[in-house]
Amino acid sequence: MKSQEKNKQLYIDNEAVSALSFLQEGLLSPVKKLMNKKETEQVVKTGMYQNVSYPCPFLLSPSGRRNEEVLKNVQKNEQIDLVCERKIVGSIQVDEVFPIDIEERLSQIGAILEEKDYIARRIGKYALSGKVEIENQINNLKQLVNDKKEKLKAKRITGVIFNANPIHRVHEKILREEFNDSDMIVIFLLRYHREDFLSFEIRQKSLDLVLNKFLSKERICVVPLDVTYLFAGPNKMILYALIAKNFGCTKILLGQKTRGLSVYYNHRTRHSVFDSLKGIDIEVKILDEYAYCTKCRCLLNAKSCPHGQHHHIIYYAESLLQFFKMGIIPPTILVRKEVSALILKELFPERLEEMKQIYYGALPSDGVFSENVQEDFYTKLIDLYQIRN
Ligand SMILES: [Zn+2]
């Protein structure tokens, strides 16, 4: 990337880099550039951008005193370097700088209470528009999806948004069922800038494990999707739909409890935020809730089962995570034992010595010396629990 030492510098964080990468790669199309003052006002007034619902203007308004000084003194057509974590990651040719109202901006973003402080800290007093160039990795992902699409000659492509936190049986069920309607599935695996209990790497590894061992992986693409401040409030739904569409998907699946989807029922008809969105040309399918019914003895759409909720095992991510927090292996009807073994091994590596005593002393060895005692320990344990007298 061309840069001269004399260029002024704007300091942006990883979230902004990620958002600008989306923009540059056309994933937020019809929005293909930072909005200027006039476009911003138009979007605020109408909630639309080029005939597509777009409630929140797409702006670059980095916070901080140094950034503010630069923005106050910059000239039209000046080239500014974009710096993230002390590295020049791109540049912008300035078109226009204009002041913004932080409170107003927060309400446009539609941040919910717990996101508000975090987002407010990131918003500066000025926004700038202009041509951006940024180094990014998304291009490779687009290529990956395109190559697979061509290879499979896929026409019906479904995008699905997964946290996979952790990947469980319902995720698998959803993917399997979707293959009846779809030539190819793109899984957008959400990646957060603030780490959660299970890191992105563990979630990705577990997902890969399930895809490799139990699903037709050749028809699936996994795309890490950075969750930035853009993905707040109802904007999130529009962005998911736009990104999926711009990745070539013809349909998007969303769980009915997805935040921001705002599902409600009126006379048994399901409504959601998509009822009021315009111009986003992609089929939206909202998934019903799944449960394991102990009477039907299978994983099913909770609506299709006559038994009451008290017979249902529910797949709440929080409860599933609690097993792992407590260091217990969850029942295999919730999470595959191979996945649980992988996660527990990553979370509790120090257990190796303690488990050797049980492993070599009490568990059947099948006459094979294991190279992966920890994962083997958990999976054998699960098998043993399932033996009945
Ligand atoms: Zn039932």
Side-chain angles (χ1 to χ4, degrees):
M1 189 145 303
K2 204 174 73 178
S3 83
Q4 296 137 2
E5 261 184 69
K6 280 181 206 153
N7 282 353
K8 288 177 186 157
Q9 298 190 322
L10 274 181
Y11 297 86
I12 60 176
D13 59 15
N14 279 312
E15 290 202 32
V17 172
S18 161
L20 292 173
S21 306
F22 284 159
L23 188 72
Q24 180 166 300
E25 290 304 325
L27 294 178
L28 305 176
S29 175
V31 181
K32 290 181 180 152
K33 59 186 184 59
L34 292 166
M35 294 180 188
N36 59 27
K37 187 163 187 276
K38 194 172 156 212
E39 288 163 329
T40 302
E41 286 165 356
Q42 196 67 24
V43 167
V44 171
K45 206 167 114 194
T46 62
M48 305 283 284
Y49 183 84
Q50 292 183 9
N51 300 322
V52 172
S53 290
Y54 217 90
C56 177
F58 192 92
L59 304 177
L60 178 63
S61 63
S63 61
R65 202 169 38 84
R66 278 190 297 184
N67 284 338
E68 197 179 315
E69 278 308 306
V70 169
L71 291 175
K72 270 198 230 163
N73 297 304
V74 80
Q75 308 290 322
K76 190 178 165 100
N77 291 328
E78 200 174 333
Q79 192 85 1
I80 303 186
D81 288 335
L82 298 172
V83 178
C84 177
E85 293 178 345
R86 298 189 186 165
K87 234 180 80 195
I88 295 178
V89 291
S91 64
I92 177 166
Q93 191 182 2
V94 180
D95 178 37
E96 192 183 9
V97 175
F98 52 99
I100 53 172
D101 181 321
I102 294 180
E103 275 304 314
E104 230 172 66
R105 178 79 181 140
L106 269 176
S107 83
Q108 289 157 9
I109 291 175
I112 55 169
L113 204 59
E114 58 245 50
E115 302 164 327
K116 230 172 181 169
D117 283 347
Y118 172 70
I119 295 175
R121 276 201 303 277
R122 305 185 67 271
I123 304 176
K125 289 183 186 158
Y126 296 91
L128 76 162
S129 66
K131 190 170 167 25
V132 177
E133 276 187 41
I134 198 129
E135 291 172 11
N136 75 72
Q137 312 290 323
I138 298 177
N139 197 11
N140 300 340
L141 296 172
K142 266 174 68 180
Q143 196 58 47
L144 185 88
V145 174
N146 264 334
D147 289 350
K148 189 159 267 198
K149 185 176 156 184
E150 276 178 23
K151 196 172 149 211
L152 295 169
K153 297 192 173 54
K155 295 221 161 42
R156 299 167 305 166
I157 303 170
T158 301
V160 50
I161 313 284
F162 272 179
N163 265 314
N165 186 30
I167 175 98
H168 54 64
R169 297 282 188 166
V170 173
H171 293 115
E172 263 185 65
K173 173 113 178 146
I174 290 167
L175 294 174
R176 276 181 221 287
E177 287 189 350
E178 190 52 29
F179 273 132
N180 299 330
D181 271 338
S182 188
D183 305 319
M184 176 176 154
I185 297 178
V186 182
I187 300 176
F188 295 97
L189 184 62
L190 300 179
R191 177 163 57 196
Y192 298 89
H193 287 269
R194 288 171 293 174
E195 279 294 352
D196 212 343
F197 176 65
L198 294 185
S199 67
F200 176 77
E201 282 69 30
I202 298 190
R203 290 188 289 122
Q204 190 176 35
K205 260 197 213 170
S206 324
L207 174 63
D208 282 346
L209 188 154
V210 171
L211 299 185
N212 282 327
K213 280 196 162 176
F214 306 104
L215 283 157
S216 24
K217 201 198 170 199
E218 58 285 358
R219 289 167 69 196
I220 299 178
C221 250
V222 179
V223 172
L225 184 63
D226 280 345
V227 179
T228 68
Y229 60 97
L230 292 176
F231 292 81
N235 285 315
K236 182 156 72 177
M237 292 303 132
I238 297 169
L239 292 177
Y240 284 161
L242 281 180
I243 289 170
K245 178 175 174 261
N246 290 319
F247 258 106
C249 297
T250 51
K251 175 180 178 183
I252 183 167
L253 299 187
L254 294 162
Q256 69 168 350
K257 295 238 164 108
T258 312
R259 243 195 209 163
L261 189 57
S262 312
V263 166
Y264 68 94
Y265 286 85
N266 189 10
H267 301 293
R268 289 174 173 249
T269 308
R270 180 159 52 197
H271 297 276
S272 79
V273 65
F274 280 98
D275 295 358
S276 58
L277 299 181
K278 296 191 187 90
I280 301 175
D281 182 20
I282 187 168
E283 183 191 343
V284 177
K285 181 175 165 189
I286 298 173
L287 295 163
D288 291 318
E289 220 180 326
Y290 284 87
Y292 183 90
C293 175
T294 50
K295 285 265 175 196
C296 299
R297 298 177 72 95
C298 67
L299 188 58
L300 41 69
N301 180 334
K303 275 204 300 202
S304 73
C305 155
H307 308 110
Q309 259 199 6
H310 51 288
H311 290 293
H312 289 173
I313 298 171
I314 312 282
Y315 291 73
Y316 284 134
E318 279 309 312
S319 319
L320 297 182
L321 284 175
Q322 195 59 29
F323 280 100
F324 295 113
K325 286 180 186 168
M326 292 168 71
I328 304 172
I329 190 158
T332 53
I333 189 60
L334 297 174
V335 180
R336 279 193 184 273
K337 62 184 179 188
E338 294 84 352
V339 170
S340 299
L342 177 91
I343 293 175
L344 286 168
K345 180 190 156 201
E346 297 272 348
L347 291 176
F348 301 97
E350 73 286 356
R351 282 181 172 176
L352 177 61
E353 286 311 312
E354 290 170 276
M355 61 174 54
K356 271 184 181 167
Q357 198 176 357
I358 305 177
Y359 185 81
Y360 291 115
L363 299 186
S365 71
D366 308 328
V368 189
F369 183 76
S370 171
E371 288 180 11
N372 196 339
V373 171
Q374 298 214 56
E375 285 183 30
D376 249 24
F377 172 86
Y378 294 115
T379 49
K380 278 188 178 161
L381 198 63
I382 277 285
D383 292 342
L384 248 56
Y385 282 136
Q386 281 162 352
I387 298 176
R388 291 184 191 182
N389 286 327

